[in-house]
Amino acid sequence: MQILSLSSVTKTFGGLVAVAGVSCGVDRGAVVGLIGPNGAGKTTVFNLITGSIKPDDGHIFFSGHSIKGLRPHRIVALGIARTFQTIRLFQGLSALENVLSGCHCRMRSGLIASLLRLPGQRREERLVIDRAMGELEFVGLAGLWRATAGSLPYGDQRRLEIARALATEPKLLILDEPAGGMNEQETLELRELIGSIRKRGITVLLIEHDMGFVMSVCDRVLVMENGILIAQGTPQEIQTNPKVIEAYLGLDDDD
Amino acid sequence: MSQGNAKNHNGPSGGLGAGPGAAANGERGYLAGGLTGLGLLAFAFLPLLLNAFAQNSAPYWLDVINTVGLYTILALSLNVILGFAGMFHMGHAAFFAIGAYSTAILNLDYGWSIMATMPVAAVAAGVVALVLAWPIIHLRGDYLLIVTIGIVEIVRIALTNNVFGLTGGSNGLVGIARPSVFGFRIVQPQHFFYFIWAVVALTLLLFHWLENSRFGRALKFIKEDTIAAENMGVNTSRYKLMAFVVGAAWAGLAGTIFACRMRTISPESFVFSESVLLFTIVILGGKGNQKGVLLGSFLVMGLPEFFRGFEDKRLLVFGAALVVMMIFRPQGLLPSKPSRYKLPEGWDDRLPGPGSPGPPTPGQKP
Ligand SMILES: Nc1ncnc2c1ncn2[C@@H]1O[C@H](COP(=O)(O)OP(=O)(O)OP(=O)(O)O)[C@@H](O)[C@H]1O
Ligand SMILES: [Mg+2]
């Protein structure tokens, strides 16, 4: 059963075709990797799924709903949460408040309840702080709840971004280069963390350049090049796919 | 749960969590609290004190303090838009005007009591704000600034041209009644002192609650990074619009107070420079920080009264002070502080390390 499916999704920027008729799907409960050389269009695909940009053509379905053209906050409410390739935390706010931003869409208190601090609003605040702390603990940052996001080391910021996304109670979590800038130890811990996220029943779609990481974490891998989906399959299939080796692995000297 | 991750931050990040000085903070807190209490008490008796020690000039100084109070209410309402949500809005006098005129018209033409007009004034200003802001709310910084300047001008011109034959043109409206609160008629400066400053206190309290709620946090996320806020599930355009409407409605309410205090209103009272003044108060005091806004009102509206003798040089000094401020302290006199959160039961014991972690590391933004 697919939780997410794209059919012939296309996006051009001026003359540049960033995503050219991509059709693919993500199975519920799976961890799926999206790989490809720099500029292949991976982040653009993520932006299309999360509603940050609108496709020129094609369809995007999530849990049976068409989500094409919806604004990002609506898509979050439906159950897709993301992290950013270049970290996009609320730098000046505390770790706790950053996670509370994710809780926002699952809360109900409105203007009047907030202005008058009604009992229901206070109860909700207590519950939500508890839940946000739970997410911080889940990624191993509970002790740093008061620290300003911008003051955290890079690896912690990446994990805080994941906690913030998890706080939206997603069904699908989209991670754009989660291991980017992490050291070996942190990458190892990230792998464990993704395992725990999957155990919560959350589907994960991630972009990553670290091939070892992708091949060990993902059930399936999608490969893009120049806006085109050139291959998809299990990590074994991808590693031996001649097209992929030619187009991607051959060029990449990180690996 | 991935327990393996929990140990990591004893390493490079250990210094962030722990910090000394919690005890000293507590004592300083009591002292500051005591002094604030004394100050508030003295302020509460200000009309009596002024009458006792400065009999001749007492009404004058009370008027000054009342003006400061009124501008505090207005600036606090602008602070919701400019300080909490970070929207550059320089047309606030327009909503102030709509409130004042609503009260005046309902009172003069329809015989409503002043207090009954207050909610209508707020709603009228809010509705106009909703209609005007709808198409422009997505505009960024400088663009929004220019359009909001346009709003004040439109409203002022409409008032001057006697729209619907209700606003009295450039002469304005004369003979607005005095309010009566719980049967007590508010007439003299000392009456207005308690009336206005009670509203200031109420405003401070309500907006403090608003700031530290789901609503206020959403505005804070929008101010910090609108795109990230939208991507975390905040309906950014809706919240911006609501912040605008709340701020405008509260300015409308301040308009009621203005109308019944002055008894005469005309378009002159709501010109662009009034908007600039309010903008200055919020920026100078520290946008987002209500105490800063209060301080800003005293400095901008109160302090110049002490230099009446200098008259023409007054504005020069004021302008120079602003320039210096913006160079050396662009975040305002009292910049906004991180919100405090109290963890629910049990969390303090669950956290790693002895005791609770130290004070937060202040976010330094260049
Ligand atoms: N908003 C935009 N406006 C114009 N061009 C864009 C925009 N976003 C992406 N592009 C272009 O689209 C192409 C695909 O970019 P994208 O960021 O999706 O690549 P990517 O696969 O994520 O690469 P990387 O691995 O470097 O992150 C690039 O040529 C990029 O310059
Ligand atoms: Mg990318």
Side-chain angles (χ1 to χ4, degrees), chain A residues 66-140:
Chain A
S66 170
I67 57 168
K68 182 179 143 181
L70 293 187
R71 288 176 52 206
H73 72 266
R74 293 281 313 279
I75 294 177
V76 175
L78 286 173
I80 303 181
R82 75 174 296 176
T83 65
F84 294 89
Q85 182 169 349
T86 41
I87 294 174
R88 206 154 185 166
L89 288 164
F90 303 106
Q91 295 285 329
L93 306 184
S94 68
L96 176 64
E97 273 190 303
N98 268 278
V99 178
L100 286 173
S101 73
C103 299
H104 175 92
C105 66
R106 305 294 169 216
M107 294 173 74
R108 303 169 51 134
S109 296
L111 173 63
I112 301 299
S114 299
L115 204 54
L116 301 178
R117 196 168 272 191
L118 299 178
Q121 187 266 344
R122 298 175 59 178
R123 201 174 322 120
E124 187 181 49
E125 278 291 297
R126 272 198 304 277
L127 285 174
V128 90
I129 291 170
D130 195 54
R131 198 161 71 72
M133 285 303 292
E135 293 299 355
L136 279 173
E137 189 175 52
F138 182 74
V139 302

Side-chain angles (χ1 to χ4, degrees), chain A residues 174-196:
Chain A
I174 293 189
L175 307 172
D176 199 342
E177 302 196 17
M182 282 188 171
N183 61 32
E184 233 170 90
Q185 174 63 24
E186 287 170 329
T187 308
L188 217 66
E189 286 171 2
L190 176 67
R191 196 188 297 188
E192 249 179 74
L193 180 61
I194 290 175
S196 324

Side-chain angles (χ1 to χ4, degrees), chain A residues 39 41-44 85 176-177 207 209:
Chain A
K42 307 180 295 293
T43 298
T44 307
Q85 182 169 349
D176 199 342
E177 302 196 17
I207 294 175
H209 283 294

